[in-house]
């Protein structure tokens, strides 16, 4: 072999070796070129999004080591959301890590969790696989900072939950934080806070590969229907990184759905994308709020807590009423969005009883009225002073309006704008009791019973041509 060819061969072997040695995951795609997103027609995207759009209602689960301190550190109550205690109490990594040795959720019963979600009328579950603290609730080959290697519990938490979801007919989905307060490639943002992290010089590709290895593990081991990214805001992470991750994840599972926090599009807690360019991600993510209106053609999901924290805090008793939660669900659906309602389980593995009670109450309402939420579209009306409206197209070409009445009319007449179309039939959804109606110039007056059958929200159906 000529000397030139020898040098080339050596270089080539060296390159392959370096790549192999430094790459955590043999299959991670190391290319950093700006990539084009997967090609998809509107029909293909509609088919991929269909189950998610019809679902309308899911359970968010924030669970991890932070449930152990549960909002208190060294005898002090730490302000803010429970899963941020490492940051808000400025706990050194080596101290926080010790929590893993205490994590033993012996009361964890995934079948019970899925039953609670299903009975509430929820169609999917999104659970934190790794939050900002970097601790993994699943068995990862990329780190030993996970429930299998670092805790007395020693078993994968996601596997049984994903299997229970499949068994009970719910979609299993995972949350994954890009920001990682534990991974050595990321360093704290300041002396007092981890957030937002900075990337150590020259170690970004190492962390991107770490993320991609874990995302591959999550997809291959648990087959999530949605990857719910978060922690995208640190400056070291770019929209181009988001496109790389989005493309990589879709290449592993083309049918998967990914939120807009995989990139840099979201306008803070408003959750919708900034208007200045096309951002990566399949749906917007308003947080702790319901937008004043939906946006035609834009998929979005409001994520909200039942009290004031995502991760469990032992002393947060500021629970929203079941009435508020039901009306939130209706309000969101009337604007064409999904409701991702959070539970924060305890360190033992129990969903707090106040959450369980509220979910059971929501489930009672959904049992009677779920048809007015699932697979519906946004209201045709700008404003409806008595409540909210959702709609569905019927096989006969008519449209079915679901009028969710929060404020029952005193005069027994429910006024509906005639802009909706020619009234054909009206009835109470519960029990299908027919109702009479008459047309006035710009309104249809439906005669309703003297008092509301369901004071939280009675659904009156009006079919229009
Ligand atoms: O910082 C997180 C927070 O802990 C929680 O996970 C919420 C839920 O959407 N997301 C981030 C704040 O926007």
């Amino acid at each position: 072999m000529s000397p030139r060819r020898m040098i080339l061969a050596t270089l080539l072997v060296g390159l392959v070796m370096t790549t192999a040695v430094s790459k955590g995951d043999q299959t991670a795609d190391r290319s950093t070129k700006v990539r084009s997103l997967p090609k998809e027609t509107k029909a293909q995207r509609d088919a991929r999004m269909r189950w998610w759009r019809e679902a309308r209602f899911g359970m968010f689960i924030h669970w991890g080591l932070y449930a152990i301190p549960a909002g208190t550190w060294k005898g002090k109550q730490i302000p803010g959301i429970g899963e941020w205690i490492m940051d808000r109490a400025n706990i050194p990594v080596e101290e926080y890590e010790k929590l893993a040795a205490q994590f033993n959720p012996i009361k964890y019963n995934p079948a019970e969790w899925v039953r609670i979600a299903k009975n509430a009328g929820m169609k999917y579950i999104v659970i934190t696989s790794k939050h900002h603290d970097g601790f993994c609730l699943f068995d990862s080959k990329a780190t030993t900072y996970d429930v299998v290697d670092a805790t007395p519990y020693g078993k994968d938490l996601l596997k049984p939950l994903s299997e229970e979801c499949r068994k009970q007919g719910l979609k299993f989905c995972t949350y994954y934080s890009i920001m990682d307060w534990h991974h050595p490639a990321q360093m704290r943002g300041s002396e007092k806070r981890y957030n937002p992290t900075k990337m150590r010089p020259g170690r970004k590709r190492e962390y991107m590969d770490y993320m991609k290895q874990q995302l591959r593990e999550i997809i291959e081991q648990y087959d999530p229907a949605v990857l719910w990214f978060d922690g995208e805001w640190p400056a070291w992470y770019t929209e181009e990184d988001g496109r790389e991750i989005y493309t990589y994840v879709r290449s592993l599972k083309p049918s998967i759905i990914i939120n807009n926090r995989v990139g840099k599009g979201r306008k803070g807690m408003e959750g919708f994308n900034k208007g200045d360019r096309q951002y990566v991600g399949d749906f917007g993510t308003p947080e702790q709020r319901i937008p004043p209106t939906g946006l035609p053609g834009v998929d979005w999901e409001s994520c909200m807590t039942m009290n004031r924290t995502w991760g469990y805090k032992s002393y947060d008793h500021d629970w929203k009423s079941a009435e508020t939660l039901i009306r939130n669900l209706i309000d969101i659906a009337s604007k064409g969005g999904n409701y991702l309602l959070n539970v924060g389980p305890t360190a033992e593995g129990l969903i707090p009883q106040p959450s369980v009670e509220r979910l059971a109450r929501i489930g009672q309402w959904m049992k009677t009225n779920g048809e007015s939420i699932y697979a519906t579209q946004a209201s045709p009306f700008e404003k409806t002073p008595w409540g909210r409206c959702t709609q569905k197209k019927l096989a006969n070409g008519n449209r079915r309006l679901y009028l969710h009445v929060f404020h029952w009319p005193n005069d027994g007449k429910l006024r509906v704008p005639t802009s909706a179309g020619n009234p054909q039939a009206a009835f109470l959804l519960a029990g299908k009791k027919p109702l009479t109606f008459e047309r006035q110039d710009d309104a249809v007056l439906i005669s309703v019973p003297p008092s509301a059958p369901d004071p939280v929200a009675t659904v009156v159906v009006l079919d229009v041509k």
Side-chain angles (χ1 to χ4, degrees):
M1 189 186 287
S2 71
R4 185 170 177 282
R5 289 178 71 83
M6 279 290 283
I7 292 167
L8 267 178
T10 317
L11 271 178
L12 189 64
V13 168
L15 179 67
V16 168
M17 285 304 292
T18 320
T19 308
V21 165
S22 63
K23 199 163 56 174
D25 166 21
Q26 300 310 314
T27 51
D29 163 9
R30 297 181 55 76
S31 59
T32 51
K33 68 184 182 310
V34 175
R35 56 199 62 254
S36 57
L37 295 177
K39 292 273 173 291
E40 190 175 47
T41 64
K42 183 179 177 311
Q44 287 167 331
R45 174 179 159 76
D46 287 346
R48 180 165 63 92
M49 296 300 292
R50 182 188 171 109
W51 76 264
W52 186 87
R53 289 169 179 163
E54 294 186 351
R56 285 286 176 254
F57 190 28
M59 177 184 273
F60 214 170
I61 303 176
H62 277 70
W63 197 29
L65 300 183
Y66 39 78
I68 298 170
T72 301
W73 191 256
K74 295 190 171 148
K76 266 180 68 190
Q77 290 194 347
I78 306 301
I81 42 186
E83 67 284 3
W84 274 63
I85 193 164
M86 179 177 170
D87 177 74
R88 298 296 301 267
N90 199 10
I91 304 169
V93 170
E94 48 288 345
E95 251 192 79
Y96 187 86
E97 277 175 344
K98 290 185 186 136
L99 291 170
Q102 302 169 44
F103 193 61
N104 192 15
I106 48 171
K107 293 182 179 171
Y108 175 48
N109 179 346
E112 178 64 4
W113 285 17
V114 177
R115 195 193 59 72
I116 289 169
K118 182 171 186 173
N119 286 353
M122 293 164 152
K123 297 291 185 185
Y124 58 105
I125 291 177
V126 181
I127 185 168
T128 48
S129 65
K130 180 193 80 152
H131 205 266
H132 309 332
D133 63 1
F135 180 73
C136 302
L137 271 62
F138 65 101
D139 187 15
S140 172
K141 300 280 173 294
T143 178
T144 54
Y145 195 46
D146 67 37
V147 66
V148 171
D149 298 314
T151 77
Y153 188 73
K155 290 176 286 182
D156 188 316
L157 295 165
L158 300 193
K159 190 79 184 157
L161 188 65
S162 66
E163 287 166 350
E164 267 307 321
C165 282
R166 245 173 293 288
K167 214 186 285 177
Q168 299 192 44
L170 271 69
K171 295 283 189 181
F172 175 77
C173 312
T174 46
Y175 164 113
Y176 187 88
S177 176
I178 294 158
M179 178 170 66
D180 189 317
W181 297 332
H182 182 272
H183 193 282
Q186 294 187 40
M187 54 188 178
R188 57 170 50 238
S190 67
E191 200 196 319
K192 289 252 179 291
R193 304 291 299 268
Y194 291 91
N195 176 64
T197 57
K198 293 184 189 120
M199 186 54 70
R200 291 188 193 285
R203 297 189 66 172
K204 179 170 172 180
R205 185 38 56 189
E206 170 196 343
Y207 182 70
M208 291 291 284
D209 284 349
Y210 174 82
M211 259 203 301
K212 290 163 94 169
Q213 177 170 352
Q214 290 203 318
L215 293 168
R216 173 185 279 277
E217 290 174 334
I218 289 166
I219 288 170
E220 289 178 348
Q221 291 169 177
Y222 316 109
D223 190 28
V226 173
L227 251 175
W228 211 98
F229 285 93
D230 203 8
E232 84 290 350
W233 53 85
W236 60 264
Y237 187 75
T238 67
E239 175 65 11
E240 289 325 304
D241 296 331
R243 291 168 75 90
E244 178 182 338
I245 296 292
Y246 181 91
T247 307
Y248 179 67
V249 168
R250 288 284 312 281
S251 73
L252 296 175
K253 183 177 180 180
S255 65
I256 202 165
I257 294 172
I258 302 170
N259 72 348
N260 68 348
R261 300 188 187 186
V262 67
K264 303 289 276 195
R266 84 166 152 139
K267 275 184 288 186
M269 297 306 189
E270 239 185 85
F272 288 95
N273 282 347
K274 298 173 247 186
D276 57 357
R277 54 179 277 197
Q278 185 65 31
Y279 289 96
V280 72
D282 297 316
F283 61 90
T285 51
E287 179 167 326
Q288 298 288 38
R289 70 197 59 209
I290 299 170
T293 61
L295 292 177
V298 173
D299 291 303
W300 59 277
E301 173 194 74
S302 257
C303 58
M304 297 174 96
T305 55
M306 276 197 218
N307 49 9
R308 307 175 71 84
T309 177
W310 304 92
Y312 178 63
K313 283 184 90 169
S314 60
Y315 50 86
D316 180 337
H317 306 300
D318 189 6
W319 299 98
K320 298 176 182 79
S321 69
E323 173 179 316
T324 298
L325 299 172
I326 292 168
R327 289 186 175 183
N328 283 350
L329 172 60
I330 296 165
D331 187 15
I332 289 166
S334 78
K335 293 162 180 171
N338 284 19
Y339 191 26
L340 188 63
L341 183 55
N342 184 73
V343 297
T346 65
E348 292 180 301
L350 294 176
I351 295 177
Q353 195 51 29
S355 298
V356 173
E357 287 159 7
R358 282 153 180 78
L359 289 169
R361 178 68 190 85
I362 297 169
Q364 283 167 351
W365 188 88
M366 285 295 273
K367 207 172 157 110
T368 306
N369 304 289
E371 171 190 335
S372 72
I373 302 293
Y374 300 130
T376 56
Q377 280 75 47
S379 171
F381 308 122
E382 274 294 302
K383 275 247 167 290
T384 42
W386 35 258
R388 297 290 182 275
C389 175
T390 58
Q391 61 173 322
K392 230 175 240 184
K393 200 144 174 69
L394 298 177
N396 64 8
N398 290 349
R399 269 185 307 143
R400 176 153 290 179
L401 305 182
Y402 297 97
L403 314 172
H404 300 81
V405 186
F406 300 165
H407 313 297
W408 201 252
N410 298 325
D411 61 359
K413 299 287 182 198
L414 184 65
R415 280 164 181 70
V416 182
T418 42
S419 58
N422 256 330
Q424 306 296 307
F427 54 91
L428 288 174
L429 183 58
K432 305 285 188 289
K433 177 179 181 297
L435 299 172
T436 59
F437 55 86
E438 57 186 297
R439 281 198 65 143
Q440 274 191 352
D441 22 15
D442 62 349
V444 178
L445 305 185
I446 304 172
S447 300
V448 293
S451 61
D454 182 337
V456 174
T458 297
V459 182
V460 174
V461 176
L462 178 65
D463 286 352
V464 296
K465 209 177 189 56

